[in-house]
Amino acid sequence: MKEGADVKRGTPLAPGEGEETEMHRFLLATMICLSLLAPSGYALAGKDLDTVQARGTLICGVAAGGLAGFMMVDNEGKWRGIDVDVCRAVAAALFGDSEKVKYVPLSAQHRFTALQSGEVDVLSNNTTWTLTRDTALGLDFTGITYYDGQGFMVPKKLGVKSARELNGATICVPSGSTTELNIADYFRAMKMTFKPVIFEDIDQIRAAFFAGRCDVYTGDRARLYSTRAANSANPDDYEILPEIISKEPLGPAVRHGDNQFADIVKWAQYAMIEAEEYGITSNNVDEMLKSDNPTVKRLLGVTPGMGKALGVDERWVYNIVKQVGNYGEAFDRNLGAGSALKVDRGLNRLWSQGGLQYAPPIR
């Protein structure tokens, strides 16, 4: 069958008149199964999705103390950041309103318990996707919001230019994080020692480091840039060392078991990436509704079907882009050139621009 060919119910798909092929029987059986399983649409709601829809609000777990560029309360008491924008995108897809989100600050140690127990619906708080978290903790990571790696920040007055010079250093680390494990692996491999100063709360770590209780602040490099810009009295007094000691794919997680809810979170992220790829922005999305591009028409719901397949409104992508923006817009205003952080986009560029951000086709 040629791609894009129309298939009409009741029309033979045979090479000869009246002849029924194996493909025809397969398609007929598939349509019957779909009609039996999901009479109101292709996707079936699970218990988590049912709970969220009945509540009318998405509960999003963010990091206690915040992190500039990712999740932080602004001067008006509103949560801002690229991780916050993921939650807003999911709410836009579910409810048509990106503001229908409640944010719950969680410590690194408590965040997984909060998700497992149902205290929050989704974690979007700078969490690294690992095998054990994906399996032993019963979580589903839905995508990668930010590709990062762990590094080190030190006061310039120490005169340290490389992580290889940190033998015997005291290092502030968050409890219950991959950060702590990565440091142990790195120092063991380098045949060096260090003295961990462990805190549960990120605010305590920042205060201890800038007060001089630790020689080193460690974490994902974006976190280091964010902390230096937002929390130090003079950012020029601190040096971020060149070594990157780990892979840190950061993204949202949901409870294992509700596939449709996980799909909505996943495809809300992909929609932001795909919108950027096709040049759809919060400023031009209304004009793009008139586009003749078949992909753009599917994305924005002009050609229906994608919303039904996901179990949401056909204008779900339109609502995300109009209210939240595409991935590039979210990156720029929170972390990039449009922010105070001025973080280079690096690996988080689109795949077509030499980066790793890549969305499966919405079709």
Side-chain angles (χ1 to χ4, degrees), residues 4 23 29 50 93 123 130 157 216 247 257 319 335 338:
M23 179 61 76
D50 284 341
L123 285 181
T130 69
K157 65 183 180 181
V216 183
K247 294 183 293 184
N319 290 331
L335 296 164

PDB file of all heavy atoms in Angstrom, residues 4 23 29 50 93 123 130 157 216 247 257 319 335 338:
ATOM      1  N   GLY A   4       0.169   7.188   2.608  1.00  0.00           N
ATOM      2  CA  GLY A   4      -0.742   8.305   2.418  1.00  0.00           C
ATOM      3  C   GLY A   4      -2.006   7.924   1.669  1.00  0.00           C
ATOM      4  O   GLY A   4      -2.902   8.739   1.504  1.00  0.00           O
ATOM      5  N   MET A  23      -3.884  -8.216   4.037  1.00  0.00           N
ATOM      6  CA  MET A  23      -3.821  -6.877   4.625  1.00  0.00           C
ATOM      7  C   MET A  23      -5.208  -6.352   4.950  1.00  0.00           C
ATOM      8  O   MET A  23      -5.435  -5.745   5.998  1.00  0.00           O
ATOM      9  CB  MET A  23      -3.105  -5.912   3.670  1.00  0.00           C
ATOM     10  CG  MET A  23      -3.020  -4.458   4.189  1.00  0.00           C
ATOM     11  SD  MET A  23      -2.111  -4.302   5.742  1.00  0.00           S
ATOM     12  CE  MET A  23      -0.434  -4.472   5.108  1.00  0.00           C
ATOM     13  N   ALA A  29      -9.728  -6.543  11.234  1.00  0.00           N
ATOM     14  CA  ALA A  29      -9.637  -7.071  12.597  1.00  0.00           C
ATOM     15  C   ALA A  29      -9.145  -6.003  13.567  1.00  0.00           C
ATOM     16  O   ALA A  29      -9.626  -5.890  14.699  1.00  0.00           O
ATOM     17  CB  ALA A  29      -8.711  -8.282  12.627  1.00  0.00           C
ATOM     18  N   ASP A  50      -7.392   9.263  35.261  1.00  0.00           N
ATOM     19  CA  ASP A  50      -8.742   9.500  35.783  1.00  0.00           C
ATOM     20  C   ASP A  50      -8.698  10.445  36.983  1.00  0.00           C
ATOM     21  O   ASP A  50      -9.508  11.364  37.101  1.00  0.00           O
ATOM     22  CB  ASP A  50      -9.388   8.176  36.207  1.00  0.00           C
ATOM     23  CG  ASP A  50      -9.856   7.350  35.025  1.00  0.00           C
ATOM     24  OD1 ASP A  50     -10.014   7.921  33.933  1.00  0.00           O
ATOM     25  OD2 ASP A  50     -10.046   6.130  35.200  1.00  0.00           O
ATOM     26  N   ALA A  93      -2.122  20.336  27.455  1.00  0.00           N
ATOM     27  CA  ALA A  93      -2.612  19.193  26.678  1.00  0.00           C
ATOM     28  C   ALA A  93      -3.844  18.570  27.326  1.00  0.00           C
ATOM     29  O   ALA A  93      -4.799  18.201  26.639  1.00  0.00           O
ATOM     30  CB  ALA A  93      -1.505  18.154  26.527  1.00  0.00           C
ATOM     31  N   LEU A 123       6.992  14.098  38.459  1.00  0.00           N
ATOM     32  CA  LEU A 123       8.193  14.799  38.912  1.00  0.00           C
ATOM     33  C   LEU A 123       8.790  15.509  37.708  1.00  0.00           C
ATOM     34  O   LEU A 123       9.047  14.884  36.681  1.00  0.00           O
ATOM     35  CB  LEU A 123       9.235  13.811  39.453  1.00  0.00           C
ATOM     36  CG  LEU A 123       9.034  13.170  40.821  1.00  0.00           C
ATOM     37  CD1 LEU A 123      10.217  12.264  41.126  1.00  0.00           C
ATOM     38  CD2 LEU A 123       8.878  14.224  41.903  1.00  0.00           C
ATOM     39  N   THR A 130      17.953   6.997  35.287  1.00  0.00           N
ATOM     40  CA  THR A 130      18.886   5.874  35.430  1.00  0.00           C
ATOM     41  C   THR A 130      18.121   4.555  35.368  1.00  0.00           C
ATOM     42  O   THR A 130      16.893   4.532  35.536  1.00  0.00           O
ATOM     43  CB  THR A 130      19.646   5.913  36.769  1.00  0.00           C
ATOM     44  OG1 THR A 130      18.729   5.635  37.850  1.00  0.00           O
ATOM     45  CG2 THR A 130      20.301   7.274  37.001  1.00  0.00           C
ATOM     46  N   LYS A 157      39.902  31.626  44.639  1.00  0.00           N
ATOM     47  CA  LYS A 157      41.027  31.850  45.550  1.00  0.00           C
ATOM     48  C   LYS A 157      41.772  30.555  45.887  1.00  0.00           C
ATOM     49  O   LYS A 157      42.926  30.606  46.330  1.00  0.00           O
ATOM     50  CB  LYS A 157      40.544  32.526  46.828  1.00  0.00           C
ATOM     51  CG  LYS A 157      39.604  31.678  47.677  1.00  0.00           C
ATOM     52  CD  LYS A 157      39.118  32.460  48.890  1.00  0.00           C
ATOM     53  CE  LYS A 157      38.170  31.618  49.754  1.00  0.00           C
ATOM     54  NZ  LYS A 157      37.669  32.396  50.919  1.00  0.00           N
ATOM     55  N   VAL A 216      34.235  22.569  47.632  1.00  0.00           N
ATOM     56  CA  VAL A 216      33.699  22.265  46.308  1.00  0.00           C
ATOM     57  C   VAL A 216      32.180  22.160  46.358  1.00  0.00           C
ATOM     58  O   VAL A 216      31.615  21.574  47.282  1.00  0.00           O
ATOM     59  CB  VAL A 216      34.271  20.929  45.770  1.00  0.00           C
ATOM     60  CG1 VAL A 216      33.755  20.647  44.360  1.00  0.00           C
ATOM     61  CG2 VAL A 216      35.794  20.938  45.806  1.00  0.00           C
ATOM     62  N   LYS A 247      27.121  11.249  32.709  1.00  0.00           N
ATOM     63  CA  LYS A 247      25.997  11.599  31.832  1.00  0.00           C
ATOM     64  C   LYS A 247      24.790  11.852  32.731  1.00  0.00           C
ATOM     65  O   LYS A 247      24.486  11.028  33.599  1.00  0.00           O
ATOM     66  CB  LYS A 247      25.688  10.458  30.858  1.00  0.00           C
ATOM     67  CG  LYS A 247      26.772  10.179  29.856  1.00  0.00           C
ATOM     68  CD  LYS A 247      26.364   9.091  28.876  1.00  0.00           C
ATOM     69  CE  LYS A 247      26.223   7.752  29.561  1.00  0.00           C
ATOM     70  NZ  LYS A 247      25.921   6.658  28.594  1.00  0.00           N
ATOM     71  N   GLY A 257       2.546   2.206  35.361  1.00  0.00           N
ATOM     72  CA  GLY A 257       1.255   1.526  35.388  1.00  0.00           C
ATOM     73  C   GLY A 257       0.146   2.191  34.602  1.00  0.00           C
ATOM     74  O   GLY A 257      -0.799   1.521  34.195  1.00  0.00           O
ATOM     75  N   ASN A 319      -2.513  24.396  21.917  1.00  0.00           N
ATOM     76  CA  ASN A 319      -2.599  24.952  23.274  1.00  0.00           C
ATOM     77  C   ASN A 319      -1.232  25.003  23.950  1.00  0.00           C
ATOM     78  O   ASN A 319      -0.909  25.972  24.641  1.00  0.00           O
ATOM     79  CB  ASN A 319      -3.575  24.131  24.119  1.00  0.00           C
ATOM     80  CG  ASN A 319      -5.015  24.304  23.681  1.00  0.00           C
ATOM     81  OD1 ASN A 319      -5.385  25.357  23.150  1.00  0.00           O
ATOM     82  ND2 ASN A 319      -5.831  23.279  23.873  1.00  0.00           N
ATOM     83  N   LEU A 335      16.989  29.575  30.278  1.00  0.00           N
ATOM     84  CA  LEU A 335      18.402  29.224  30.435  1.00  0.00           C
ATOM     85  C   LEU A 335      19.330  29.947  29.466  1.00  0.00           C
ATOM     86  O   LEU A 335      20.495  30.196  29.791  1.00  0.00           O
ATOM     87  CB  LEU A 335      18.579  27.708  30.234  1.00  0.00           C
ATOM     88  CG  LEU A 335      17.901  26.799  31.244  1.00  0.00           C
ATOM     89  CD1 LEU A 335      17.841  25.372  30.710  1.00  0.00           C
ATOM     90  CD2 LEU A 335      18.636  26.840  32.569  1.00  0.00           C
ATOM     91  N   GLY A 338      18.005  34.658  26.336  1.00  0.00           N
ATOM     92  CA  GLY A 338      16.968  35.528  26.878  1.00  0.00           C
ATOM     93  C   GLY A 338      16.884  35.519  28.386  1.00  0.00           C
ATOM     94  O   GLY A 338      16.020  36.175  28.972  1.00  0.00           O
TER      95      GLY A 338
END
